[in-house]
């Protein structure tokens, strides 16, 4: 069986992490199937590896912008699939070609278009983009033979919106245990902290977007002025996808004179993230709209004590490995941080529960369950 996987939408964050690990672990399964990995020139550099059953094909047009990628997916891709006798196309970023003759499996990575609260905070152009993505996602779900959701929460949100799903499967993302594990007393850790001027810090790892609730966490941290050790830092790591939002936060931080205590590290290399997770005093996750929450699992695998939004799927993913708070209420976030910092036994219990909960997530299982879906519809 020939399976094509369209990775052209994976540009940063959890989407790249998912594709990179799924491909590696699919390649480890003993099957007779052949895979065509469709990607961009940049994606080929990230994803490709030598394997007799994997062919990596890069395309220029999808990397030139969302509109051109859409044209490529809907016009060129069906012709390519037919010409190459592809049996199944897997589209892991919400949208599949609506006129392709091959069988389609689509995964819903982005549930933002189905959140009314999130879209209400966006500009006019962004709201139009989200509505268009909602239409395409809806059509893709109806076209696909199977729709994969990375959490029960994602599946529930889609079904509550009234969309008819032919066949739904929940397949959790995994964790690379060779990379993500606790690091203690390592010389590289000391060098890493020195490089980024880190002392004792609270951490949030995520790309910068409004629905991630960075501002609410910053507000909460400022509310703790003179209530916690004034050497504790608030540290963010991730790529900025909303420059206007970032500038608003930086202006607020300057007005509050917190420039030395609230740090934006930008994008940190994937292999260095375990140093951040292992070194942090607390990992705080205030997002309001997620389909899974990859960095939550990474932080748990490193034994970080977790404070998380009480919005699903965070409780689904973390279970008893987190202390939960209302992500829209800076006072509630501040109270959760204060409670943890004043209670070392609670922090130790959260760290133990993190390590235990992380064992439930495995890229081996993700790849195996995904392949079962491909095999069933072939």
């Amino acid at each position: 069986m020939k399976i094509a996987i369209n990775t052209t939408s994976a540009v940063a964050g959890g989407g790249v992490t998912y594709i990179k690990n799924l491909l590696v672990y699919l390649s480890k399964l003993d099957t007779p199937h052949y895979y065509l990995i469709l990607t961009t020139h940049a994606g080929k550099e990230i994803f490709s590896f030598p394997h007799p059953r994997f062919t990596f094909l890069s395309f220029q047009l999808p990397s030139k912008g969302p509109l051109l990628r859409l044209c490529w997916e809907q016009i060129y891709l069906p012709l390519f699939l037919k010409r190459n006798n592809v049996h199944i196309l897997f589209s892991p970023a919400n949208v599949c070609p609506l006129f392709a003759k091959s069988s389609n499996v689509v995964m819903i990575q982005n549930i933002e278009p189905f959140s009314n609260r999130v879209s209400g905070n966006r500009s006019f152009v962004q709201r139009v983009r989200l509505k268009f993505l909602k239409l395409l996602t809806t059509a893709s779900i109806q076209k696909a033979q199977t729709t994969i959701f990375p959490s029960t929460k994602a599946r529930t949100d889609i079904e509550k919106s009234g969309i008819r799903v032919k066949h739904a499967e929940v397949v959790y993302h995994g964790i690379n245990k060779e990379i993500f594990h606790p690091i203690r007393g390592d010389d590289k850790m000391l060098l890493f902290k020195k490089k980024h001027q880190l002392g004792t810090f609270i951490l949030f790892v995520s790309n910068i977007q409004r629905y991630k609730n960075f501002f609410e966490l910053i507000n909460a941290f400022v509310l703790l002025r003179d209530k916690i050790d004034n050497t504790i830092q608030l540290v963010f790591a991730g790529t900025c996808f909303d420059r206007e939002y970032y500038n608003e936060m930086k202006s607020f931080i300057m007005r509050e004179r917190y420039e030395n205590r609230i740090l934006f590290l930008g994008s940190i290399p994937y292999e260095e993230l375990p140093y951040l997770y292992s070194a942090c005093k607390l990992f705080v996750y205030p997002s309001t709209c997620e389909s899974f929450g990859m960095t939550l699992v990474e932080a748990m695998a490193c034994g970080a004590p977790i404070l998380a939004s009480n919005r699903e799927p965070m409780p689904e993913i973390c279970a008893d490995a987190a202390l939960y708070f209302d992500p829209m209420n800076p006072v509630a976030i501040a109270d959760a941080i204060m409670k943890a910092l004043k209670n070392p036994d609670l922090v130790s219990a959260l760290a133990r529960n993190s390590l235990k909960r992380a064992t439930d997530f495995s890229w081996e299982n993700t790849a195996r369950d995904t392949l079962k879906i491909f095999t069933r519809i072939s």
Side-chain angles (χ1 to χ4, degrees), residues 179-289:
I179 296 177
F180 294 98
H181 54 79
I183 300 172
R184 302 285 184 259
D186 188 310
D187 288 341
K188 290 183 180 179
M189 170 70 82
L190 296 176
L191 290 172
F192 179 85
K193 292 184 71 174
K194 184 177 181 180
K195 173 185 174 182
H196 295 287
Q197 299 180 321
L198 300 176
T200 301
F201 65 96
I202 295 166
L203 176 67
F204 180 32
V205 176
S206 174
N207 293 326
I208 297 176
Q209 300 183 80
R210 287 181 186 270
Y211 70 85
K212 301 286 188 175
N213 269 24
F214 282 78
F215 221 137
E216 283 71 13
L217 177 52
I218 290 170
N219 266 302
F221 190 68
V222 172
L223 287 174
L224 293 170
R225 190 194 309 265
D226 299 327
K227 296 179 182 179
I228 61 174
D229 186 337
N230 62 12
T231 64
I232 294 176
Q233 301 164 306
L234 177 61
V235 174
F236 300 112
T239 303
C240 180
F241 281 100
D242 190 330
R243 182 57 57 178
E244 181 182 358
Y245 185 49
Y246 174 78
N247 290 338
E248 289 171 13
M249 290 188 287
K250 292 293 284 187
S251 295
F252 176 80
I253 291 167
M254 290 179 66
R255 287 198 304 272
E256 296 293 334
R257 298 181 179 178
Y258 262 63
E259 299 97 318
N260 295 328
R261 292 188 62 191
I262 301 178
L263 309 179
F264 290 86
L265 303 184
S267 179
I268 296 293
Y270 187 65
E271 293 75 14
E272 294 183 8
L273 284 174
Y275 293 104
L276 270 180
Y277 294 131
S278 297
C280 71
K281 185 72 174 179
L282 301 170
F283 182 81
V284 183
Y285 197 88
S287 180
T288 60
C289 179

Side-chain angles (χ1 to χ4, degrees), residues 267-321:
S267 179
I268 296 293
Y270 187 65
E271 293 75 14
E272 294 183 8
L273 284 174
Y275 293 104
L276 270 180
Y277 294 131
S278 297
C280 71
K281 185 72 174 179
L282 301 170
F283 182 81
V284 183
Y285 197 88
S287 180
T288 60
C289 179
E290 298 290 339
S291 61
F292 183 75
M294 192 66 247
T295 60
L296 274 173
V297 181
E298 293 171 354
M300 287 192 293
C302 294
I306 308 291
L307 310 185
S309 163
N310 61 12
R311 305 287 177 86
E312 291 291 358
M314 276 57 83
E316 177 185 347
I317 301 305
C318 295
D320 65 350

